[in-house]
Amino acid sequence: QVQLVESGGGLVQPGGSLRLSCAASGISFSIYVMGWYRQAPGKQRELVASVTPWGTATYADSVKGRFTIFKDFAKNTVFLQMNSLRLEDTAVYYCNADRQVQYWGQGTQVTVSS
């Protein structure tokens, strides 16, 4: 059974930082593309960042230079380090595992507000 459990969301001021975690079970990082998506109210879900099994990372233009995705194979956890947060980063963030079949976590709320 595949499970993706996100944590680390919360309320932060503009310019602040948060680190999201996605603890995965039932899958192997060596064969799945892992990604972080987000969905803001009234908007479609969008890809924020992804990392391939061999470690190649891809980022949405809006987060390049501010967010970093990385994996800890020992903990089977994928992280999203978010720096210089902006108001427009406010959204529910979802962890995703993709290998033909996709799996999703339950989401974690990130609110950037002064």
Side-chain angles (χ1 to χ4, degrees):
Q1 183 180 0
V2 177
Q3 279 194 316
L4 303 175
V5 180
E6 301 102 331
S7 61
L11 174 65
V12 64
Q13 293 185 337
S17 297
L18 282 176
R19 178 177 290 185
L20 305 183
S21 302
C22 172
S25 59
I27 61 169
S28 169
F29 284 174
S30 62
I31 59 174
Y32 275 81
V33 175
M34 300 302 299
W36 286 96
Y37 287 72
R38 68 186 180 187
Q39 187 165 19
K43 295 188 177 181
Q44 288 189 330
R45 191 173 296 191
E46 63 174 355
L47 177 64
V48 176
S50 64
V51 58
T52 65
W54 46 92
T56 301
T58 303
Y59 299 93
D61 287 343
S62 59
V63 307
K64 281 180 182 176
R66 300 188 298 122
F67 291 10
T68 303
I69 186 171
F70 59 99
K71 298 182 284 188
D72 184 328
F73 282 88
K75 296 180 180 179
N76 224 39
T77 299
V78 60
F79 300 92
L80 184 68
Q81 178 66 41
M82 306 187 295
N83 299 327
S84 302
L85 283 160
R86 304 169 179 169
L87 297 176
E88 56 265 35
D89 294 319
T90 295
V92 178
Y93 285 70
Y94 297 90
C95 180
N96 172 270
D98 186 3
R99 184 176 180 257
Q100 299 178 337
V101 176
Q102 292 199 42
Y103 299 96
W104 295 91
Q106 81 286 354
T108 186
Q109 176 70 47
V110 171
T111 302
V112 184
S113 175
S114 55

